[in-house]
Amino acid sequence: MYGDLLFLEGAKPRVIKQSPLGRGAKGSFTEQWLRDRLFENPVALPFGAIDPSYERSVPICRELRTEAGPIDALFANEHGLLTVLECKLWRNPQARREVVGQVLDYARAMAAMSYEDLSRQVNAALRTEGNTLFDLLRRSHRELDEHTWVDQVSRNLSQGRFLFIVAGDGIQEGVVAITEQLQRGVGLRFHFGLVEVAVFNLD
């Protein structure tokens, strides 16, 4: 469990209390709110701690449409590796029941995509045209060669090589068993991580 934080500035430490996620008296820390904060601050996601190959991932878009439904957020890095982020508040019992099937469905849907399919859906999510997916990476990695990077993404898609991160407000008892179910559920090469998130209030 998370304890209170101490803000050590000045002579007197200041206690910073944890705020529960979900709808509460101090605001609505919903799944959408969590998704937007993590998308805007990717440094809060431990890409490299889960698999070093996924380090330096940058945000691409939110609400990317797939055959299995829209994914919360998509990230990519200079190696053509994609990360899918799904945000779940575990106080919602339905989230626990559905997360395994949802991740497997997304994995199959992503593996069935070509680069052109993915690029088209990125453009639809961002309301852009052209190769926006590559252009977003080139802002951070100007040395990237477009043809090489597109080939890398295409290869990783066809192999089902992705990182799926499920971020939520607590890793409840029994949820860790999700990883075992996922390993048995599909013959793709994706990695999976559960990330626990806490919010602390400065008021």
Side-chain angles (χ1 to χ4, degrees), residues 34-48:
L34 180 59
R35 177 205 66 190
D36 290 344
R37 300 296 79 73
L38 293 175
F39 184 83
E40 294 161 0
N41 303 279
V43 68
L45 290 169
F47 300 100

Side-chain angles (χ1 to χ4, degrees), residues 49-185:
I50 298 170
D51 185 325
S53 302
Y54 291 83
E55 287 183 329
R56 307 210 310 170
S57 291
V58 299
I60 300 299
C61 67
R62 287 167 275 202
E63 295 294 315
L64 179 90
R65 290 197 299 260
T66 74
E67 290 296 325
I71 63 174
D72 280 351
L74 179 72
F75 300 78
N77 72 4
E78 72 269 32
H79 305 300
L81 290 166
L82 306 174
T83 297
V84 171
L85 172 68
E86 282 295 308
C87 295
K88 298 292 182 188
L89 299 186
W90 299 114
R91 292 181 179 83
N92 174 4
Q94 187 178 9
R96 299 189 193 109
R97 291 193 299 269
E98 291 184 350
V99 67
V100 173
Q102 192 174 29
V103 168
L104 290 174
D105 287 345
Y106 286 150
R108 294 187 183 103
M110 293 287 288
M113 280 185 167
S114 66
Y115 182 89
E116 291 73 20
D117 295 331
L118 179 62
S119 180
R120 184 166 53 252
Q121 293 305 334
V122 168
N123 281 335
L126 296 175
R127 299 181 181 180
T128 55
E129 297 180 352
N131 196 357
T132 305
L133 177 55
F134 174 73
D135 292 339
L136 289 169
L137 264 293
R138 188 162 50 184
R139 291 178 187 176
S140 302
H141 307 285
R142 295 192 176 277
E143 75 284 359
L144 281 184
D145 175 74
E146 182 172 1
H147 295 295
T148 300
W149 190 80
V150 169
D151 286 345
Q152 289 175 321
V153 175
S154 299
R155 183 166 55 253
N156 290 327
L157 284 169
S158 66
Q159 294 176 349
R161 189 180 180 200
F162 329 105
L163 172 60
F164 281 87
I165 295 178
V166 176
D169 56 336
I171 305 304
Q172 300 289 336
E173 183 178 353
V175 174
V176 176
I178 289 172
T179 55
E180 297 176 1
Q181 298 178 52
L182 288 171
Q183 289 172 353
R184 295 193 299 266

Side-chain angles (χ1 to χ4, degrees), residues 19-24 26-31 33-34 89 199 201:
S19 296
L21 293 175
R23 297 188 181 278
K26 296 203 176 212
S28 296
F29 298 126
T30 62
E31 291 175 354
W33 179 91
L34 180 59
L89 299 186
V199 174
N201 199 313

